[in-house]
Amino acid sequence: MPNMTLAADKLHVDLLKNAYRLMHTAKALADTYEENKAVCSKYVHSTSRGHEAIQLAAALHLHPYDYASPYYRDDAMLLGIGLQPYELMLQLMAKADDPFSGGRTYYGHPSLKREGFPTIPHQSSATGMQAIPATGMAHGIAYLEGQGLLHGEEKPVVLCSLGDGSVTEGEVAEAFQMAVLKGLPIVYLIQDNDWGISATGKEMRAMDAYEYAGGFKGMERLRVDGADFVASYEAMRIAFEYARKVRRPILVHAKVPLLGHHTSGVRREWYRGKNLTEHQAQDPIPHLRQALTDADVAADEVDALERQAREKVAEDYARALAAPNPDPATFDQHEFAPTPVTEEKGERSPAGAEKVPMVDAALHAVDDMLRTHPEALFYGQDVGGELGGVFREAALLTKKYGEERVFNTPIQEAYIIGSTVGMSAVGAKAIVEIQFADYIWPGINQLVEELSKSCYLSNGQFPVQSVIRVPIGAYGGGGPYHSGSIESTLLNIRGIKVVFPSNAADMKGLMKAAFLDPNPVVMLEHKGIYWSKVPGTEDAKTVEPDEAYILPLGKANIVQHAADEELRSGNSMTVITYGMGVYWAKTASKQFPGSVEIVDLRTLNPLDYDTVMASVLRHGKALVLTEEPLMNSFAESLAGRLSKDCFQRLDAPIFTLGAANLPAIPLNVELEKMMLPNADKVAAAMAELLEY
């Protein structure tokens, strides 16, 4: 690395003056919020006081074609890229015209997609969580660049801003690991003020971020006094130049004072003591004023810059106070971005086509998408190389498309899921896989905090296009860590779609619809019907649809109808189910010829409730069947809703059947059989229900 030395007189004086004005703008924002606590502390906020120098230095090196993930204290950085105090205040006060979220999320949480500015996707308040989406952006840039899909000669980079305390998060380690493993163009800016709310650095860490990053081979590093604008500007120049030219990661560790409150709700006087006085001696504003003096800028000119900043903030504060609040009627907009797939297309059963198992239909769907969409890539544990997935669900795709498009990741479920946020933001289309449903939990943080909320909290600016494949379900002694069903947990995460196909044709059509959907879609793929090896699941093999076949999400399918005479005589019922439940129901229904209708949900969110309710109303008797433990499940929730909506037309209580309420699937096949539903248990429930 080149030596990091730069004198103030080597920087253009206009740059120093602009930085000084912006520093005072950030300070005036903080002062205004403090002077108007009754208004400004209605919603929790943090400010950049003490961090202004390094934040402005970083901002002034960002180009409009770059990407950034600031953290919640980075309002000076936002000013530095050209945002106005008025815009920040609109977010502070949760106003309708807040350009980032329309009044939906906290101050300092930008979502910016604007001509002439760096792109800033939505990110949560969860500390350190932005490291993975930001690294995913750099990963996507590297992929698109390698495929010749970036237009123009610019070399975009990603800036990821973090507080030092957040670096202790395991997900930051996952991000660093992938950044050095793949050689990604990203600058990690670590702002170290030695505090994490009321805990000091000594309490929280055995080393600082600079020392920690030394363990990641290939991570270049810099230390800088983040309160010195001149030194900070040079450090960020070096860092951006390195990432832009060498296309590898670099970490800048900036030591800064904390001069404001942790947040407006956790005030400095409650815990700082004499430490605050020590930090005030490091205030970056006097440092920069001295640099201006050394550059022969007159005192009255410097004073004028301060005055301009205060006047601008006062003017914008008055405007923001008068700005309208959001229309309450808009509260539910942008849960999802509209999907282009609204109707079934293509040939589901083309003449002469052979039957295929579900796993092959999924493989062929992914193959089609990779061939048709050069921006698409597929990654996860063991999906690349020779193996092509533990179920051979990605067999030969690496050989066909290359290791840049289909590749193995480390054992990092958080990165696998969270990186798709960044991929989506830069225009790459990620298909990823979690090896077994039981191992999705390390990725839930990213799924909940980053993917699911992005569209809603960015006011529709940043839906996350992401297909997450998850083999699921039990059969034949898979044991406690390879057999679980997790759909109820996923369905409690708003803002994601959950799909659960039960046959090859549905698998192919739904996989393609999921890929074209601009929202996060989790594809739950039951291992027990992948190959139709379990007795009774032969119908999961179907004639393979053609390449153009697409099946919209949210459309249930009646896979078996009851006979009219049984319906008229009141001797009929419906089974509402999905996945393996379809085959248990089919097998069990053979004991009651003509009496059982079976509705395969196919998509659990969005749910085709109209088809479900119509089936229940048609028969007056219903069984909701699931493989999950029943208590507090999606199945029980659906049964309760149907009981209310169909009450006057029911001839019997809504029945439910699921697995026993145990924490895991036992390994022994006889114990597994006792825990799970099966065709015999379903038949017993059908017999009881039909007797009503």
Side-chain angles (χ1 to χ4, degrees):
M1 296 293 294
N3 289 328
M4 194 190 69
T5 57
L6 190 70
D9 58 1
K10 292 184 181 179
L11 279 184
H12 198 289
V13 171
D14 286 345
L15 175 65
L16 295 177
K17 290 194 290 188
N18 183 46
Y20 191 73
R21 178 183 59 81
L22 290 170
M23 271 195 197
H24 267 281
T25 303
K27 180 180 184 300
L29 286 171
D31 291 345
T32 299
Y33 303 159
E34 189 68 8
E35 292 161 6
N36 298 275
K37 288 196 290 286
V39 173
C40 297
S41 292
K42 180 177 181 180
Y43 303 111
V44 171
H45 60 270
S46 296
T47 70
S48 59
R49 279 300 287 126
H51 295 227
E52 298 95 338
I54 190 64
Q55 288 184 20
L56 290 170
L60 295 173
H61 286 286
L62 283 166
H63 296 309
Y65 51 81
D66 289 329
Y67 296 81
S69 287
Y71 88 124
Y72 55 78
R73 196 178 296 284
D74 281 349
D75 57 3
M77 187 182 295
L78 299 179
L79 294 171
I81 66 171
L83 291 166
Q84 297 302 306
Y86 175 66
E87 296 177 288
L88 303 187
M89 290 177 183
L90 288 175
Q91 187 175 48
L92 175 84
M93 301 179 196
K95 297 289 188 172
D97 295 329
D98 156 26
F100 311 127
S101 74
R104 297 178 179 203
T105 198
Y106 300 114
Y107 179 75
H109 289 58
S111 297
L112 189 66
K113 187 184 291 185
R114 184 187 294 178
E115 188 72 25
F117 287 77
T119 299
I120 305 177
H122 160 79
Q123 63 192 38
S124 73
S125 284
T127 55
M129 295 304 99
Q130 73 269 35
I132 285 178
T135 306
M137 285 195 283
H139 200 162
I141 289 168
Y143 169 72
L144 295 172
E145 194 171 62
Q147 299 293 310
L149 298 174
L150 286 184
H151 304 296
E153 297 182 1
E154 293 87 359
K155 294 288 188 180
V157 300
V158 178
L159 173 67
C160 177
S161 177
L162 297 158
D164 192 77
S166 71
V167 178
T168 60
E169 289 276 5
E171 294 183 19
V172 175
E174 292 194 18
F176 287 179
Q177 176 70 229
M178 286 300 290
V180 296
L181 182 65
K182 296 294 184 178
L184 303 179
I186 185 167
V187 177
Y188 296 104
L189 170 58
I190 313 301
Q191 300 176 55
D192 183 0
N193 61 30
D194 207 35
W195 285 97
I197 308 185
S198 66
T200 65
K202 290 180 180 179
E203 294 176 84
M204 294 186 295
R205 64 194 186 209
M207 65 197 82
D208 66 25
Y210 179 90
E211 295 162 331
Y212 178 65
F216 293 88
K217 185 178 180 180
M219 179 78 78
E220 194 58 77
R221 298 174 293 156
L222 283 174
R223 283 193 189 273
V224 67
D225 178 359
D228 182 334
F229 175 76
V230 175
S232 294
Y233 189 86
E234 174 67 355
M236 297 313 299
R237 182 193 67 77
I238 292 170
F240 273 90
E241 185 176 272
Y242 179 83
R244 213 175 292 283
K245 291 182 178 180
V246 182
R247 314 305 278 161
R248 291 194 62 83
I250 182 169
L251 180 142
V252 179
H253 177 263
K255 197 71 176 177
V256 291
L258 177 62
L259 301 182
H261 308 290
H262 169 72
T263 67
S264 55
V266 182
R267 301 182 64 78
R268 61 192 182 191
E269 59 266 21
W270 295 347
Y271 63 95
R272 293 289 298 280
K274 66 179 183 179
N275 173 266
L276 181 58
T277 303
E278 294 168 0
H279 276 219
Q280 284 169 338
Q282 305 164 42
D283 191 335
I285 292 178
H287 283 287
L288 186 51
R289 185 177 181 109
Q290 184 61 51
L292 286 166
T293 300
D294 294 343
D296 296 325
V297 179
D300 58 351
E301 188 175 355
V302 177
D303 292 341
L305 294 171
E306 298 181 19
R307 186 168 59 253
Q308 290 168 16
R310 289 195 303 271
E311 290 173 354
K312 173 64 173 171
V313 169
E315 176 187 325
D316 283 8
Y317 178 69
R319 288 177 61 205
L321 276 178
N325 288 314
D327 179 356
T330 65
F331 82 102
D332 60 350
Q333 293 178 3
H334 305 300
E335 178 190 8
F336 293 116
T339 176
V341 180
T342 57
E343 59 185 41
E344 191 171 1
K345 293 181 180 179
E347 185 63 49
R348 184 178 174 93
S349 301
E354 296 183 356
K355 283 190 173 184
V356 295
M358 278 180 60
V359 73
D360 284 357
L363 170 63
H364 298 161
V366 173
D367 191 359
D368 289 346
M369 292 181 290
L370 291 171
R371 183 176 62 255
T372 307
H373 298 272
E375 70 275 23
L377 63 167
F378 180 38
Y379 55 94
Q381 295 165 28
D382 300 304
V383 303
E386 295 294 327
L387 183 62
V390 295
F391 300 101
R392 303 292 288 155
E393 70 279 9
L396 303 180
L397 290 180
T398 298
K399 285 187 175 180
K400 193 169 186 179
Y401 295 103
E403 294 181 354
E404 296 303 312
R405 296 194 72 188
V406 182
F407 56 88
N408 294 325
T409 66
I411 303 172
Q412 294 185 346
E413 288 82 6
Y415 186 85
I416 292 168
I417 291 175
S419 62
T420 66
V421 177
M423 292 280 181
S424 180
V426 303
K429 296 182 178 179
I431 307 164
V432 300
E433 181 176 307
I434 300 298
Q435 198 162 79
F436 291 93
D438 298 272
Y439 299 131
I440 199 172
W441 309 117
I444 288 292
N445 241 2
Q446 291 289 326
L447 191 60
V448 173
E449 301 295 354
E450 310 302 332
L451 277 75
S452 74
K453 294 177 172 64
S454 184
C455 186
Y456 183 73
L457 290 181
S458 70
N459 217 21
Q461 294 180 85
F462 288 98
V464 176
Q465 181 171 39
S466 173
V467 179
I468 303 167
R469 299 183 62 185
V470 185
I472 191 172
Y475 75 100
Y481 298 106
H482 300 80
S483 307
S485 293
I486 61 167
E487 55 266 31
S488 289
T489 298
L490 295 177
L491 290 166
N492 273 295
I493 304 170
R494 317 305 173 190
I496 66 171
K497 298 185 178 183
V498 181
V499 180
F500 206 136
S502 69
N503 60 70
D506 287 353
M507 172 70 87
K508 190 169 187 180
L510 291 169
M511 183 78 79
K512 291 195 171 185
F515 178 78
L516 295 172
D517 199 302
N519 303 287
V521 182
V522 179
M523 295 285 300
L524 300 177
E525 306 173 18
H526 199 292
K527 308 187 308 292
I529 49 180
Y530 253 164
W531 297 97
S532 292
K533 291 181 177 179
V534 176
T537 65
E538 294 79 12
D539 287 351
K541 285 186 178 181
T542 69
V543 169
E544 182 169 12
D546 67 14
E547 185 176 339
Y549 185 64
I550 301 177
L551 181 62
L553 308 187
K555 302 290 184 183
N557 186 31
I558 300 176
V559 296
Q560 179 173 298
H561 293 268
D564 288 342
E565 57 270 24
E566 300 296 334
L567 179 60
R568 285 192 296 270
S569 67
N571 190 39
S572 69
M573 59 169 289
T574 183
V575 179
I576 313 300
T577 191
Y578 54 93
M580 185 65 84
V582 171
Y583 301 101
W584 292 329
K586 280 186 174 184
T587 300
S589 69
K590 292 175 182 177
Q591 299 182 36
F592 313 96
S595 292
V596 180
E597 180 167 293
I598 302 172
V599 179
D600 180 358
L601 294 176
R602 301 199 289 201
T603 304
L604 307 185
N605 186 34
L607 177 67
D608 186 357
Y609 190 67
D610 289 345
T611 295
V612 171
M613 189 167 74
S615 182
V616 175
L617 292 173
R618 186 159 50 247
H619 298 281
K621 299 174 184 178
L623 167 65
V624 183
L625 173 61
T626 181
E627 185 173 320
E628 284 193 295
L630 189 60
M631 188 169 63
N632 302 324
S633 65
F634 162 71
E636 280 199 335
S637 172
L638 179 57
R641 185 175 170 190
L642 289 167
S643 294
K644 175 181 178 293
D645 293 342
C646 304
F647 179 73
Q648 293 184 333
R649 300 271 293 277
L650 291 177
D651 297 321
I654 302 283
F655 276 33
T656 55
L657 181 62
N661 297 310
L662 296 171
I665 310 291
L667 179 64
N668 180 275
V669 290
E670 294 303 318
L671 297 178
E672 178 190 89
K673 182 178 178 181
M674 291 298 294
M675 179 181 177
L676 294 175
N678 57 38
D680 291 339
K681 294 177 184 179
V682 174
M686 287 177 174
E688 183 181 355
L689 185 54
L690 287 169
E691 287 178 1
Y692 271 86

